Amino acid sequence: MVAPIALANPTVLINNLAVAVVPNSVSYTEGKGEQTMRVQSAGGGSVQTVLSNNVETNLSTVKLSVFPTSDIIDQMLVWKNNLNQNVISITGAGLTRSFTNAALITDYEVALGSDTQIDLEFKSDAAV
């Protein structure tokens, strides 16, 4: 049996263009949403649990960081101006996730310097 390998070097495509990212900066959520567990009285001292899905949270989040190069800064403006028309793909060693209708939701801070990075956060439809 082959030992599992951590996914530490994913390929990130945004609108079919490869994006170089800061190592260990890529994360995402599946977009399955949050659940609430409550208790209702069933009489005679017994209770039952009731599970409900909060569909307002059925969104994926994609976070990544990039280094401040002129090319990536120009590309970030394109992603921001695309509103929710971006498509993100993350792949690596047996993993493939796609995020459609992705919007760059943060008003990102462009930190210029030799050891700075720009943190980006997208929201999208649930991952597929």
Side-chain angles (χ1 to χ4, degrees), residues 3-78:
I5 298 174
L7 300 172
N9 188 22
T11 299
V12 177
L13 300 176
I14 302 179
N15 302 331
N16 291 319
L17 296 173
V19 177
V21 297
V22 174
N24 299 314
S25 72
V26 178
S27 67
Y28 69 90
T29 63
E30 296 286 359
K32 301 299 183 191
E34 297 175 359
Q35 290 74 37
T36 302
M37 181 77 75
R38 297 180 290 169
V39 176
Q40 64 185 4
S41 174
S46 65
V47 295
Q48 298 171 336
T49 57
V50 177
L51 178 74
S52 59
N53 290 313
N54 182 353
V55 296
E56 291 180 340
T57 61
N58 283 16
L59 295 169
S60 283
T61 300
V62 177
K63 295 180 182 180
L64 56 96
S65 298
V66 293
F67 291 121
T69 66
S70 59
D71 289 343
I72 199 69
I73 292 169
D74 288 344
Q75 194 58 52
M76 290 183 318
L77 283 172
V78 171

Side-chain angles (χ1 to χ4, degrees), residues 22 65-69 110-119:
V22 174
S65 298
V66 293
F67 291 121
T69 66
V110 180
L112 303 176
S114 61
D115 61 351
T116 62
Q117 65 185 38
I118 303 168
D119 301 321

